[in-house]
């Protein structure tokens, strides 16, 4: 690898750098963590036992074992006779003049072959200076060779039992395949699998910050950020960015507490006592007498204007997005609608007469109680309005990240980001950009402090990818104590000779090669030339110290593992996959300008047994090797299993042509599953690389094998204390397997095609813990589902992905990361380990105080992700974010981000169902949000009638969104939702970013018939409620997984003709999975809307046509989340009233 050959930015730093050991415990890990078990990555100290795989007890089965004309069943042949041949093959001198790889100590290949597999002479690893090991010459070019040799010397070969029937049966189909001879193997070109040294030029000298003059470092001399303008002022002052919301909802008397929704012990949510030093707005009940209007159950006289919005009452509720008064009939009072959502039916409450602020009646004395009237949904906060307002307010200007604690635009707003020192919100979003200074304040507010991090997020083409910085052999400059990486917030002192760490305050010498003078402001003169000094996000090239076993990694491999049992074959999946792979393999991820991908590929098929394929380029035909003893999985061939696509193209194509034929007549219905993962894992181990398994699987693995499962689905467990078991794996076997996979960097992506329960909760464990993705296509039908599957597969194969990744989040003194959510594995309390991490995966990190923060210094986060790129380059991606800190709760509430809050709360709740009854989890969510809002009401809002619900501007959508989480299939399943669906969604949501959770919980509903066919823009969204639908219109609803096209019964015949190509409503087929391609403006517009949405989402959404009053409409209505749901979920209006009641109870 070329890492060490690139120009240094200065003379090598000769001083001992204890911290430069990268991954060593005290190094990557920051402060040593006594008592924490050594992580997987302890291996970075050099080889450790975990990485020196003991000799696998079962032999690797060389392909030599087959006579050239033999059938696969000849696996029974005397294996011991194979060993010498195999070794010979490995030890053979290069058969061509293939030069050794570009760098690395040249060790005798025979020696090499023993290096990692249990031979004492190299147990302690290669000295760091030895750098990358030379690959074995010639035909072993991508197999470092060590694995097989000692194995084949052992005499403990696996003895195969009689060939299974299926193998016999298949042997006929194998006739066309050449089984055997490896001696003919021509050496692949040297350097196979290694990419060009690096496609990314060093940028140290060439980087120039764009727009650097605009950088606005935060200093105390500059004015406070806008968010602090009203610090210390009564909350009734106009707030940035908007007004506080005070929505009055019916002040119904707290009903006899029969609702059963009260403070829950899960989690402990007892509010901490207010710190005596807390200043701020008057506290109702303390310094301000509660106004008489707070009496429960009073016939509410309208509160005085000042109680609503302080000195700026008019026009009242300007921040609330009800329709303007002219279109809004006077609403002197509200009647609760019937509400059964919380276990009770509330009768009419005629005594409630609270005027709704913002109505023309506002401020008048109430007249006689009006006729009962339902709370107008238009008068409660509208997600659509909030989204539209943010778009129009913030969509036109780029978001410049130079200011500390700036709240970014919403995820639903299109905006450009200019990195000027803080990470883009595409990488990190926080629940609040202003953190309470003390833990007491944080506890009091109950606002979770969390960051949703997407380290490898895809950027729009207009934005710049993180620059790659190469600091040469000495690696990135880091703080000596906490090991934080150089970043814009480090303070250079003593003329630039030292720097003080912004995270731990430790002073570290600047390495000589990194020294630079400071200008008169104390800034390094090369500030704008170095990404790590001026930008929020950048990458460092990692040195060998950051690599496993002190060896630069090999490029990763992709292994395609296809279920060829009866169901898979009969449904057409096997043929579909094989056909697709023929072209898809040309699109493997590649780095920069590389001409071809460095990723190697391998193929396995399986049912009860596994079939490995030798697709070495020198073969005329692929060779199959069957492993029927799945109890102790091993890989029967090394040479020829993982290959370069271009070199082996003919053989691969031939294999993909033959697989569907070979298994066309299979009657094998049973499958294994764990051995498939084990096989992939062993193959990657043998090849000494990281990689990804793409497993295509159809059924519950009931065949006798490790990880065998039984059908334990039981819907009767729903709403019982045992419901949690439905989300838990049925055996710990897969947890252990996941751990092994993570250690190897073996990421598992799972494509499931179930026709019945297959236990996603268990099958998904390895996928989940290795950072992989699950895709599920229930009742897969070729005609309707193939587009969706193929699009998902294409994207999954092509997307940017890092391997063997470890992420750590460092924080400045006062807070620390305490909890993590996402698809990963953790072997200690700080390092998030992922065998693979792709551009769609997010990790949510929660922070807690461990000390006081200060308003002056704020709080800092630094997320460091160490990973191997798709070309095998070891890199560190760094994201920095600075946040404000506050002593006033109002500042916290003014700088919250509700979409991110919901992302966190959903993940928190979805994890909770693993250990607690679902009802407990729901109650805890409600309770926490009630506390958040009650704290605001108590400490930040002006004293006012308890009949009013006052919501902070930034959180006015918290109730509606929270209700969507509560009603989701995981927490409140409808009758049609399967156990597998719930487990699947639970896992999906756990890795979702904020944009995805936003649309998943509150789907986007677009009136297609209102679309402007001449414009590129999407029609304006409407609220998710049936009462918003007109029978004469067509609507589209998307939630990131599905797209529904709903057709009203009264839609004009012409529109139906234009969109569906049929002449009447009754002729529309709801079996359509795509819209017909018709040459008219409406059809084009609708298809373009669908395409636009598909591109925005990380998964291809399933298109479902729903005709009004058709039975599928039930499914559709499930997504009209403002309405009461069939499964008992509350309507938005009802839930808002319920939240109000909860808040009042907390305040009283
Ligand atoms: Zn430090």
């Amino acid at each position: 690898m070329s890492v060490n050959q690139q120009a240094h930015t200065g003379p090598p730093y000769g001083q001992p750098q204890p911290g430069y050991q990268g991954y060593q415990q005290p190094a990557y890990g920051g402060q040593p963590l006594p008592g924490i078990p050594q992580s997987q990555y302890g291996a970075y100290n050099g080889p450790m036992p975990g990485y020196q795989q003991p000799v696998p007890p079962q032999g690797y089965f060389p392909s030599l074992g087959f006579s050239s004309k033999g059938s696969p069943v000849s696996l029974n042949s005397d294996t011991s006779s194979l060993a010498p041949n195999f070794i010979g093959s490995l030890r053979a001198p290069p058969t061509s003049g293939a030069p050794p790889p570009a760098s690395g100590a040249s060790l005798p290949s025979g020696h090499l072959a023993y290096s990692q597999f249990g031979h004492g002479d190299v147990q302690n690893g290669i000295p760091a200076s030895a750098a990358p090991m030379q690959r074995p010459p010639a035909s072993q070019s991508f197999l470092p060779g060590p694995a097989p040799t000692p194995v084949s010397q052992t005499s403990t070969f696996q003895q195969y039992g009689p060939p299974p029937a299926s193998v016999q049966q298949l042997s006929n189909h194998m006739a066309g395949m050449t089984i055997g001879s490896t001696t003919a193997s021509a050496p692949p070109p040297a350097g196979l699998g290694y990419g060009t040294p690096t496609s990314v030029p060093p940028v140290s000298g060439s980087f120039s910050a764009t727009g650097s003059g605009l950088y606005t470092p935060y200093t105390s001399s500059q004015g406070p950020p806008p968010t602090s303008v009203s610090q210390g002022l009564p909350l009734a002052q106009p707030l940035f960015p908007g007004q506080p919301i005070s929505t009055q909802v019916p002040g119904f008397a707290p009903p006899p507490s029969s609702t059963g929704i009260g403070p829950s012990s899960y989690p402990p949510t007892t509010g901490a006592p207010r710190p005596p030093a807390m200043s701020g707005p008057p506290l109702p009940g303390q310094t301000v007498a509660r106004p008489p209007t707070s009496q429960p159950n009073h016939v509410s006289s309208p509160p005085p204007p000042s109680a609503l919005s302080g000195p700026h009452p008019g026009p009242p509720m300007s921040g609330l997005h009800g329709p303007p008064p002219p279109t809004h009939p006077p609403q002197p009072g509200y009647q609760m609608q019937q509400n059964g959502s919380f276990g009770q039916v509330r009768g009419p409450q005629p005594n409630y007469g609270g005027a709704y602020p913002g109505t023309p009646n506002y401020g008048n004395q109430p007249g006689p109680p009006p006729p009962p009237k339902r709370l107008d949904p238009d008068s409660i906060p509208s997600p659509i309005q909030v989204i539209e307002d943010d778009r129009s307010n913030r969509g036109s200007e780029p978001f410049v990240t130079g200011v500390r604690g700036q709240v970014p635009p919403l995820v639903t707003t299109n905006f450009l980001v200019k990195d000027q020192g803080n990470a883009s919100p595409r990488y990190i979003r926080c629940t609040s950009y202003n953190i309470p200074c003390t833990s007491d304040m944080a506890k009091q507010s109950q606002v979770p402090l969390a960051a949703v991090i997407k380290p490898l997020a895809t950027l729009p083409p207009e934005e710049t990818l993180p620059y790659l910085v190469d600091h040469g052999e000495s690696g990135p400059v880091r703080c000596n104590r906490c090991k934080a990486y150089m970043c814009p917030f480090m303070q250079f002192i003593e003329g630039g000779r030292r720097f003080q760490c912004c995270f731990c305050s430790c002073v570290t010498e600047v390495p000589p090669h990194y020294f630079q003078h400071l200008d008169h402001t104390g800034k390094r003169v090369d500030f704008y030339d170095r990404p790590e000094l001026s930008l929020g996000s950048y990458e460092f090239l990692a040195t060998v110290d950051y690599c496993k076993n002190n060896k630069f990694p090999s490029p990763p491999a992709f292994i395609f593992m296809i279920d060829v049992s009866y169901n898979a074959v009969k449904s057409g999946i096997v043929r579909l996959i094989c056909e697709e792979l023929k072209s898809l393999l040309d699109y493997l991820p590649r780095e920069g300008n590389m001409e071809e991908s460095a990723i190697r590929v391998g193929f396995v098929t399986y049912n009860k047994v596994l079939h490995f394929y030798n697709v070495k380029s020198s073969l005329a035909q692929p060779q199959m090797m069957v492993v029927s003893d799945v109890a102790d999985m091993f890989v029967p061939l090394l040479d020829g299993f993982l290959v370069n696509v271009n070199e082996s193209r003919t053989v691969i194509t031939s294999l993909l042509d033959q697989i569907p034929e070979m298994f066309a007549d299979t009657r094998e219905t049973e499958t294994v599953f764990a051995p498939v993962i084990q096989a992939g894992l062993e193959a990657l181990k043998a090849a000494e690389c990281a990689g990804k398994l793409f497993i295509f699987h159809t059924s519950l693995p009931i065949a006798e094998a490790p990880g065998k499962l039984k059908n334990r689905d039981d819907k009767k467990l729903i709403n019982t204390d045992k419901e949690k078991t439905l989300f838990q794996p049925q055996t710990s076997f897969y947890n252990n397997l996941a751990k092994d996979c993570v250690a190897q960097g073996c990421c598992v992506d799972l494509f499931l095609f179930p026709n019945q329960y297959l236990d996603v909760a268990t099958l998904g464990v390895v996928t989940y813990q290795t950072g992989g993705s699950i895709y599920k296509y229930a009742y897969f039908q070729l005609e309707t589902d193939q587009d969706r599957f193929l699009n998902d597969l294409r994207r999954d194969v092509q997307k940017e992905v890092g391997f063997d990744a470890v992420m750590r989040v460092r924080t400045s003194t006062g807070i620390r990361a305490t909890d993590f959510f996402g698809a990963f594995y953790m072997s200690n309390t700080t390092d998030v380990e992922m065998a693979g991490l792709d551009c769609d995966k997010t990790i949510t990190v929660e922070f807690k105080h461990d000390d006081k923060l200060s308003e002056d210094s704020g709080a800092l986060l630094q997320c460091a992700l160490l990973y191997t790129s798709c070309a095998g380059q070891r890199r560190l991606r760094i994201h920095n974010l600075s946040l404000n800190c506050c002593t006033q709760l109002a500042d916290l509430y003014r700088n919250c981000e509700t979409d991110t809050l919901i992302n966190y709360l959903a993940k928190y709740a979805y994890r909770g169902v693993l250990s607690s009854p679902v009802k407990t989890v729901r109650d805890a969510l409600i309770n926490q949000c009630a506390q958040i809002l009650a704290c605001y009401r108590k400490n930040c809002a002006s004293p006012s009638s308890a009949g009013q619900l006052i919501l902070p501007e930034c959180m006015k959508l918290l109730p509606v969104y929270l209700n969507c989480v509560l009603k989701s299939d995981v927490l409140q399943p409808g009758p049609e939702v399967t156990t597998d669906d719930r487990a699947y969604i639970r896992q999906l949501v756990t890795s979702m970013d904020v944009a995805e959770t936003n649309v998943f919980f509150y789907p986007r509903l677009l009136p297609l018939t209102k679309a402007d066919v001449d414009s590129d823009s999407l029609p304006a969204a409407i609220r998710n409620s049936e009462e918003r639908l007109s029978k004469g219109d067509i609507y589209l609803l998307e939630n990131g997984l599905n797209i529904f096209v709903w057709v009203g019964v009264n839609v004009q015949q012409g529109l139906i003709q234009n969109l569906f190509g049929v002449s009447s409503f009754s002729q529309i087929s709801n079996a359509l999975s795509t819209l017909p391609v018709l040459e008219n403006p409406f059809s084009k517009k609708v298809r373009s809307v669908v395409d636009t949405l598909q591109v925005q989402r990380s998964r291809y959404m399933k298109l479902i046509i729903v005709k009004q009053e058709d039975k599928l409409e039930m499914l559709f209505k499930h997504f009209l989340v403002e309405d009461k749901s069939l499964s008992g979920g509350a309507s938005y209006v009802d839930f808002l009233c319920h939240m109000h009641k909860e808040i009042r109870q907390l305040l009283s």
Side-chain angles (χ1 to χ4, degrees):
M1 301 290 285
S2 66
V3 175
N4 294 339
Q5 298 168 353
Q6 300 193 348
H8 296 170
T9 55
Y13 183 47
Q15 204 168 323
Q17 289 284 305
Y20 279 19
Q21 292 310 306
Y23 250 118
Q24 295 184 6
Q25 277 298 18
Y28 187 76
Q31 292 95 340
L33 296 157
I36 292 171
Q38 188 175 23
S39 86
Q40 300 285 332
Y41 286 84
Y44 286 100
N45 287 321
M48 73 168 197
Y51 282 120
Q52 292 176 358
Q53 290 302 326
V55 175
Q58 314 307 340
Y60 286 88
F61 224 100
S63 51
L64 299 191
F66 307 104
S67 63
S68 60
K69 297 267 164 45
S71 76
V73 295
S74 70
L75 278 170
N76 285 326
S77 60
D78 178 8
T79 52
S80 61
S81 67
L82 305 172
N85 282 341
F86 194 41
I87 290 170
S89 162
L90 261 181
R91 287 176 166 171
T95 52
S96 76
S103 67
S106 185
L107 297 173
S109 60
H111 183 191
L112 244 189
Y114 295 91
S115 63
Q116 294 294 307
F117 282 78
H119 287 259
D121 53 342
V122 290
Q123 279 278 345
N124 292 324
I126 304 156
S129 60
M133 291 183 22
Q134 182 187 4
R135 290 169 177 279
S139 63
Q140 294 299 312
S141 60
F142 54 82
L143 296 171
T149 312
V151 172
S152 56
Q153 285 177 331
T154 68
S155 55
T156 58
F157 282 102
Q158 179 67 46
Q159 286 300 319
Y160 291 92
S166 59
V167 175
Q168 296 277 19
Q169 186 188 354
L170 295 173
S171 59
N172 290 338
H173 299 284
M174 291 294 291
M177 302 179 74
T178 311
I179 304 292
S181 168
T182 56
T183 52
S185 61
L192 172 68
Y194 270 131
T196 48
T198 173
S199 59
V200 184
V203 296
S204 330
S206 59
F207 164 76
S208 73
T210 53
S212 53
L214 297 175
Y215 178 76
T216 317
Y218 65 91
T219 63
S220 54
S221 65
Q222 290 182 314
T227 51
S228 62
V229 287
S230 57
Q231 244 180 28
L233 294 178
L235 246 283
Q237 292 291 333
L239 298 182
F240 174 84
Q243 300 272 344
I245 282 309
S246 62
T247 300
Q248 184 159 12
V249 297
F252 54 83
S257 55
S258 60
T259 56
I261 301 182
S264 159
S265 60
Y266 170 84
T269 45
T270 45
R274 254 189 311 281
M278 272 288 299
S279 60
L283 305 174
Q286 290 194 344
T287 58
V288 174
R290 195 176 284 275
T293 52
S294 67
Q295 288 163 6
N297 214 13
H298 76 292
V299 178
S300 167
S301 57
S306 63
L308 285 168
S309 50
H312 300 272
M317 302 308 300
S318 59
L320 184 69
H321 310 287
T327 61
H328 200 42
Q331 300 185 15
Y334 295 93
Q335 178 51 54
M336 282 301 302
Q337 67 174 340
Q338 292 291 311
N339 178 358
S341 308
F342 293 89
Q344 61 178 2
V345 175
R346 297 190 185 102
Q349 305 196 8
N351 63 344
Y352 171 75
Y356 181 68
T359 63
N361 206 28
Y362 171 72
N364 295 339
Q365 286 300 316
K373 188 172 181 0
R374 177 177 173 234
L375 177 60
D376 181 1
D378 279 336
S379 64
I380 56 181
S382 156
I384 304 304
Q385 193 65 51
V386 170
I387 288 169
E388 287 302 322
D389 287 351
D390 195 74
R391 277 189 186 144
S392 52
N393 294 335
R394 308 197 66 183
S396 50
E397 294 289 314
F399 180 68
V400 181
T401 71
V403 179
R404 184 175 84 183
Q406 242 187 326
V407 183
L410 298 181
V411 285
T412 41
T413 298
N414 283 327
F415 59 99
L416 281 184
V417 181
K418 280 195 175 159
D419 184 342
Q420 292 198 359
N422 284 290
S424 160
R426 301 189 208 288
Y427 296 122
I428 308 182
R429 276 187 178 264
C430 294
T431 52
S432 177
Y433 290 79
N434 203 326
I435 301 181
C437 277
T438 66
S439 126
D440 281 348
M441 269 176 80
K443 281 182 192 149
Q444 189 188 1
S445 75
Q446 284 290 317
V447 175
L449 304 175
V452 179
I453 306 175
K454 198 176 183 184
L456 299 179
T458 308
L459 301 184
E462 302 87 347
E463 294 177 14
T464 314
L465 285 171
Y467 290 93
L468 183 62
V469 180
D470 180 7
H471 281 172
E473 284 174 4
S474 52
V477 177
R478 304 174 69 175
C479 166
N480 268 350
R481 187 200 284 159
C482 75
K483 306 303 170 197
Y485 295 86
M486 182 51 66
C487 73
F489 308 110
M490 297 289 188
Q491 194 84 42
F492 286 87
I493 55 176
E494 296 176 25
R497 288 190 301 279
R498 293 162 176 250
F499 67 92
Q500 183 166 31
C501 178
C502 50
F503 296 92
C504 72
S505 302
C506 174
V507 173
T508 300
E509 297 265 349
V510 173
H513 71 82
Y514 198 68
F515 175 81
Q516 188 51 269
H517 293 287
L518 309 182
D519 67 14
H520 66 284
T521 65
K523 203 155 70 179
R524 282 172 61 121
V525 298
D526 60 353
F527 181 84
Y528 294 115
D529 299 330
R530 291 188 177 272
E532 77 275 17
L533 297 182
S534 52
L535 297 179
S537 301
Y538 43 87
E539 293 202 324
F540 289 117
L541 262 188
T543 63
V544 76
D545 295 328
Y546 295 83
C547 302
K548 268 184 192 166
N549 302 333
N550 279 331
K551 262 175 72 178
F552 282 113
S554 308
F558 282 179
I559 305 177
F560 298 92
M561 314 183 89
I562 307 167
D563 177 347
V564 289
S565 65
Y566 179 84
N567 279 340
V569 172
K570 276 291 168 279
S571 60
I573 295 165
V574 173
R575 186 173 298 277
L576 185 64
I577 294 167
C578 290
E579 277 304 309
E580 178 63 23
L581 284 182
K582 282 191 226 166
S583 51
L584 185 55
L585 293 177
D586 288 331
Y587 298 94
L588 300 178
R590 65 188 85 184
E591 201 149 68
N593 304 321
M594 286 175 70
E595 282 194 4
E596 66 175 27
S597 173
I599 291 172
R600 291 162 291 154
V601 297
F603 303 89
V604 171
T605 55
Y606 67 95
N607 39 49
K608 270 166 78 170
V609 298
L610 275 75
H611 325 104
F612 293 79
Y613 297 93
N614 186 342
V615 283
K616 196 174 184 166
S617 59
S618 55
L619 297 175
Q621 285 290 316
Q623 300 166 345
M624 176 202 245
M625 267 136 281
V626 180
V627 176
S628 55
D629 183 348
V630 293
D632 210 341
M633 188 45 62
F634 64 96
V635 180
L637 81 163
L638 295 175
D639 183 22
F641 180 65
L642 293 178
V643 297
N644 172 290
V645 173
N646 284 337
E647 286 164 12
S648 290
R649 179 174 304 278
T650 321
V651 195
I652 291 173
T653 306
S654 167
L655 172 67
L656 294 171
D657 282 337
Q658 289 179 56
I659 285 175
E661 306 306 325
M662 279 192 285
F663 299 100
D665 299 323
T666 186
R667 300 189 178 198
E668 184 55 71
T669 54
E670 294 190 358
T671 57
V672 296
F673 184 70
V676 180
I677 298 176
Q678 287 170 324
L681 170 62
E682 292 302 323
L684 295 178
K685 270 185 193 170
E688 294 192 331
C689 67
K692 196 188 255 201
L693 313 182
F694 297 82
I695 303 182
F696 306 90
H697 190 78
T698 58
S699 60
L700 191 69
I702 55 170
E704 200 52 55
K708 170 186 173 180
L709 300 179
K710 56 180 188 290
N711 188 334
R712 45 90 187 232
D713 186 19
D714 187 358
K715 277 195 155 191
K716 288 198 291 294
L717 297 182
I718 292 175
N719 290 326
T720 71
D721 284 354
K722 286 188 180 159
E723 184 172 0
K724 60 184 178 223
T725 61
L726 297 176
F727 297 110
Q728 297 165 347
Q730 62 172 283
T731 158
S732 62
F733 183 88
Y734 289 94
N735 295 80
N736 296 328
L737 181 55
K739 191 174 164 184
D740 293 343
C741 286
V742 172
Q744 180 58 39
C746 171
C747 179
V748 178
D749 279 3
L750 197 49
F751 293 81
L752 297 172
F753 307 87
N755 287 332
Q756 55 192 336
Y757 178 74
L758 50 53
D759 202 343
V760 172
T762 307
L763 293 189
V765 165
V766 177
T767 296
Y768 186 60
Q769 294 193 21
T770 58
S773 305
I774 302 184
Y775 299 84
K776 186 159 86 64
Y777 311 89
Y779 307 104
F780 182 86
Q781 299 282 319
L782 211 53
E783 313 77 60
T784 52
D785 296 319
Q786 75 167 13
D787 277 354
R788 183 161 60 105
F789 161 61
L790 291 179
N791 274 290
D792 284 343
L793 176 62
R794 285 169 196 153
R795 189 168 195 283
D796 196 57
V797 166
Q798 295 178 45
K799 70 185 170 186
E800 187 185 350
V801 57
F803 293 93
D804 219 352
V806 189
M807 188 187 95
R808 170 169 290 196
V809 179
R810 289 181 174 78
T811 47
S812 52
T813 311
I815 53 165
R816 65 196 166 86
T818 54
D819 209 349
F820 302 85
F821 305 80
F824 51 72
Y825 175 81
M826 290 185 81
S827 57
N828 60 39
T829 56
T830 50
D831 292 332
V832 174
E833 300 172 30
M834 291 152 291
L837 172 67
D838 64 53
C839 55
D840 298 323
K841 294 287 185 311
T842 57
I843 299 105
T844 295
V845 184
E846 187 180 9
F847 303 96
K848 290 251 159 66
H849 287 75
D850 56 8
D851 205 346
K852 274 189 178 157
L853 298 167
S854 96
E855 283 181 292
D856 286 346
S857 41
L860 293 175
L861 315 178
Q862 183 178 75
C863 163
L865 176 81
L866 176 63
Y867 72 100
T868 300
S869 76
C870 64
Q873 197 175 53
R874 201 72 174 148
R875 294 178 178 179
L876 280 151
R877 180 169 287 201
I878 313 292
H879 297 298
N880 302 287
L881 187 64
S882 61
L883 302 171
N884 285 328
C885 296
C886 59
T887 55
Q888 303 293 320
L889 280 168
D891 290 328
L892 165 69
Y893 284 98
R894 259 197 295 266
N895 292 281
C896 279
E897 233 256 304
T898 295
D899 292 330
T900 308
L901 198 56
I902 288 292
N903 180 283
Y904 166 85
L905 290 172
K907 290 173 181 176
Y908 183 80
Y910 280 19
R911 186 173 68 184
V913 300
L914 287 173
S915 52
S916 304
V918 170
K919 180 176 186 312
T920 310
V921 172
R922 282 202 307 263
D923 291 350
L925 268 187
I926 294 171
N927 186 258
Q928 182 170 8
C929 289
Q931 295 211 30
I932 290 171
L933 298 174
C935 175
Y936 173 80
R937 173 65 186 260
K938 193 168 179 179
N939 298 291
C940 308
S942 310
S944 58
S945 160
Q948 290 174 268
L949 173 62
I950 302 183
L951 300 170
E953 170 68 20
C954 292
M955 287 190 189
K956 65 184 175 189
L957 299 180
L958 187 61
V960 59
Y961 286 164
L962 180 73
N963 189 37
C964 298
V965 175
L966 293 168
K967 291 159 74 167
S968 63
D969 288 336
V970 171
L971 296 183
Q972 197 161 14
E976 77 291 353
V977 178
T978 66
T979 301
D980 274 342
D981 286 337
R982 298 177 76 198
Y984 175 62
I985 289 169
R986 197 190 75 79
Q987 294 204 3
L988 276 187
V989 167
T990 305
S991 297
M992 279 186 182
D993 69 15
V994 179
E996 285 172 319
T997 50
N998 175 267
V999 79
F1000 179 75
F1001 288 112
Y1002 192 92
R1004 184 149 53 157
L1005 181 57
L1006 306 173
L1008 293 177
T1009 26
K1010 303 276 193 298
D1012 177 1
V1013 294
D1014 298 324
S1015 149
D1016 285 340
S1017 59
L1018 296 174
I1022 60 170
R1023 294 172 65 170
N1024 285 334
S1025 172
E1026 192 174 1
E1027 68 185 34
R1028 312 274 166 180
L1029 304 179
S1030 142
K1031 289 183 174 186
D1033 286 319
I1034 301 174
Y1035 299 85
L1036 179 152
L1037 182 144
E1038 66 121 355
N1039 73 342
L1041 297 181
N1042 300 301
I1043 289 179
F1044 293 91
V1045 174
W1046 183 92
V1047 188
V1049 287
N1050 292 347
V1051 172
Q1052 289 171 24
Q1053 193 265 339
L1055 283 174
I1056 290 176
Q1057 182 72 47
N1058 281 345
L1059 190 57
F1060 298 102
V1062 295
S1063 56
S1064 72
F1065 179 81
S1066 62
Q1067 286 178 295
I1068 301 171
S1069 162
N1070 50 22
L1072 289 176
S1073 62
T1074 52
L1075 293 168
V1077 178
L1078 301 173
E1079 284 304 312
N1080 64 74
F1082 185 58
S1083 171
K1084 280 182 188 165
K1085 176 65 188 178
V1086 172
R1087 284 182 287 118
S1088 120
V1089 168
V1090 170
D1091 291 345
T1092 305
L1093 299 178
Q1094 293 285 20
V1095 169
Q1096 288 176 1
R1097 304 297 171 209
S1098 62
R1099 287 162 185 256
Y1100 199 81
M1101 294 180 277
K1102 180 175 186 168
L1103 184 75
I1104 302 166
I1105 310 291
V1106 178
K1107 292 154 73 176
Q1108 189 180 10
E1109 293 167 11
D1110 193 75
K1111 61 178 189 291
L1112 265 182
E1113 202 184 14
M1114 283 303 154
L1115 187 58
F1116 172 74
K1117 284 182 177 173
H1118 181 64
F1119 296 95
L1120 296 175
V1121 289
E1122 290 198 22
D1123 297 342
K1124 191 172 163 179
S1125 75
L1126 282 176
S1127 51
S1131 71
Y1132 176 20
V1133 169
D1134 290 348
F1135 184 71
L1136 196 60
C1137 294
H1138 178 75
M1139 281 304 287
H1140 188 205
K1141 188 196 73 181
E1142 294 284 316
I1143 293 165
R1144 287 172 51 153
Q1145 279 178 352
L1146 289 171
L1147 292 174
S1148 62

